[in-house]
Amino acid sequence: MKTDDLILLLAQGAGPAPRAQAWRRLWPGAVLGLLASIALAAWLLGLIPAGLYREVAPWFKIVYAGAMGVSTGWLVIRLSRPVPRWRGPLLTVAAVLVAAVLVGLAGWLASPAASRLPGLLGHSWTRCSLNVMALSLPALAAAFWALRGLAPTRPVLAGAGAGLFAGSLGALGYALSCTELALPFVALWYTLGMLLSGALGALLGPRLLRW
């Protein structure tokens, strides 16, 4: 049988390729990963008092982590394709990071000089980033499961994108338990936690996303 004939035979009855397949695989795991992050944070750390939501910091944490989740989710979807166009999503992720850094810098400059370092370190700087990364693990497992059913050809980048995406969901869950109120603290330690998750994803990508 000639190659062209074989291709035609295999293609008979094949409908159009399903649209938004990457999104369909990613979003259930994202929801479960976020719920797991929130549940673990509430169980292990407790939720912040309702009165703290009168402050700016909890909303900044939620908006920052949510924006990172949307932009990194877009990045993961693009990187799940064989010939990805990932520069646009990557620029969006960078823009969110820069915006968070600028907010943190503005908070730093607006603070009295004597309170800048204490605000930056808070009372949990030694564990904040690690908590974000730990709470990202359920979402990271789900993101890798989604990618393994798709066709990523850049495993390091795809793994890093999955790690950043999971890190943003971990940060979102942790934000509901974190009592830190200084914007520079959030800009530094939450970002570091998400980057640690991204680094873990990049490390695992070549091992878990091989064809």
Side-chain angles (χ1 to χ4, degrees), residues 3 32 42 45 47 50 52 62-63 65 78 87-88 105 111 116 124 131 140 143-144 151 158 162 165 187 190 206 209:
T3 302
L32 291 175
L45 304 171
L47 299 176
L52 282 187
I62 292 170
V63 171
R78 285 292 182 87
R87 288 180 176 80
L105 182 60
S111 302
R116 287 175 179 173
S124 62
N131 285 341
L140 183 61
F144 270 106
F165 176 64
Y190 274 61
L209 300 177

Side-chain angles (χ1 to χ4, degrees), residues 64-118:
Y64 177 30
M68 280 292 289
V70 171
S71 57
T72 55
W74 182 26
L75 179 63
V76 172
I77 288 172
R78 285 292 182 87
L79 287 169
S80 70
R81 301 169 182 171
V83 186
R85 296 180 180 179
W86 49 270
R87 288 180 176 80
L90 187 62
L91 288 175
T92 304
V93 173
V96 174
L97 288 172
V98 169
V101 169
L102 290 177
V103 170
L105 182 60
W108 170 273
L109 295 175
S111 302
S115 64
R116 287 175 179 173
L117 186 58

